[in-house]
Amino acid sequence: MEEKSPDTLERIRQAALEEFSEKGFLGASLRQIVKNAGVTTGAFYGYFSSKEALFAAIVEPHAAALMGRFMEAQTGFAELPEKEQPEHMGEASGNYVDWMVDYICRHREPVKLLLCRAEGTSYEHFIHNMVEVEVDSTLRYMDVLRRLGKDIPPLNRSLCHIIASGMFNGLFEIVIHDMPREQAFRDVAQFRTFYTAGWLKLMGQ
């Protein structure tokens, strides 16, 4: 009966968090997780069907939160009347980035698994998927600006992908380097200033 308790589930999750953090998903040993959790293999399978199911149970809430809020920000901005989009551009992206930094600082360990230890799982392309959404949104916004009469030069999708990839990988340095909260907010604010100036230059603004 003890093995069916919430305490047992928490021991499994904590042992898994430590094992995945140290070795990544591919290198992690299910046998070691079970041993460190102090449960039998049979008890483990009463909770999770596989090592990947266990990994997903840890990271999915955070993947859903980060991607969900990101998509809400993208959709909310795209639904604004086109003539209002330029004045809200910095506000929309800034609100999401501030929320994201705060979220990362409150959930460091599982977010680090999601972003840095997910090779071999369905989450290994998480950052790439965010980048693709950002690229699509950027290209749509440039079309909006052209319709509003702005002289926006043609920019290849490949270039937009490089820039968006650099942005997201830069933002997620917070996770990789376990930045203290105040430093994370300060560095990201300055990074966004740099990033925004680059975009304005490219677009001839």
Side-chain angles (χ1 to χ4, degrees):
M1 293 297 292
E2 188 275 332
E3 288 191 337
K4 297 297 182 182
S5 70
D7 178 65
T8 301
L9 176 60
E10 181 55 33
R11 292 205 313 272
I12 294 172
R13 291 172 67 95
Q14 186 57 41
L17 184 61
E18 294 171 3
E19 181 76 359
F20 289 138
S21 294
E22 180 183 350
K23 302 174 183 176
F25 174 78
L26 291 177
S29 165
L30 183 56
R31 179 178 297 180
Q32 192 64 45
I33 291 170
V34 168
K35 178 180 177 182
N36 291 346
V39 300
T40 65
T41 302
F44 170 84
Y45 285 114
Y47 292 101
F48 302 101
S49 61
S50 63
K51 184 173 75 167
E52 184 161 7
L54 173 56
F55 187 90
I58 295 172
V59 305
E60 174 57 30
H62 307 287
L66 289 167
M67 184 63 81
R69 186 66 178 266
F70 177 59
M71 293 305 299
E72 285 178 12
Q74 297 284 354
T75 301
F77 178 77
E79 290 177 349
L80 289 171
E82 290 190 352
K83 64 181 180 180
E84 295 180 17
Q85 289 187 19
E87 65 185 279
H88 290 282
M89 183 61 191
E91 174 188 342
S93 61
N95 287 342
Y96 174 73
V97 170
D98 287 345
W99 175 87
M100 185 196 73
V101 173
D102 176 69
Y103 189 91
I104 289 172
C105 290
R106 289 187 289 111
H107 305 282
R108 290 180 184 275
E109 290 186 326
V111 172
K112 194 167 190 175
L113 290 189
L114 170 66
L115 300 179
C116 307
R117 300 288 188 265
E119 184 181 0
T121 77
S122 60
Y123 299 94
E124 67 176 305
H125 300 300
F126 183 80
I127 296 176
H128 174 79
N129 293 339
M130 295 188 86
V131 167
E132 286 297 297
V133 172
E134 178 70 15
V135 170
D136 289 339
S137 297
T138 298
L139 293 172
R140 283 197 301 270
Y141 179 59
M142 287 192 291
D143 285 340
V144 167
L145 292 177
R146 293 184 183 105
R147 286 195 291 273
L148 292 174
K150 303 288 186 181
D151 184 19
I152 304 299
L155 297 176
N156 289 336
R157 183 182 182 91
S158 58
L159 173 62
C160 293
H161 188 280
I162 290 169
I163 295 171
S165 181
M167 180 191 74
F168 278 105
N169 281 286
L171 291 174
F172 290 135
E173 288 286 298
I174 299 168
V175 179
I176 296 168
H177 297 294
D178 299 314
M179 284 186 189
R181 182 186 179 87
E182 288 187 11
Q183 179 186 345
F185 273 99
R186 182 176 63 251
D187 286 0
V188 166
Q190 293 174 329
F191 177 68
R192 285 191 65 245
T193 298
F194 175 85
Y195 178 83
T196 301
W199 264 122
L200 290 174
K201 180 70 172 179
L202 276 175
M203 294 193 294
Q205 301 300 301

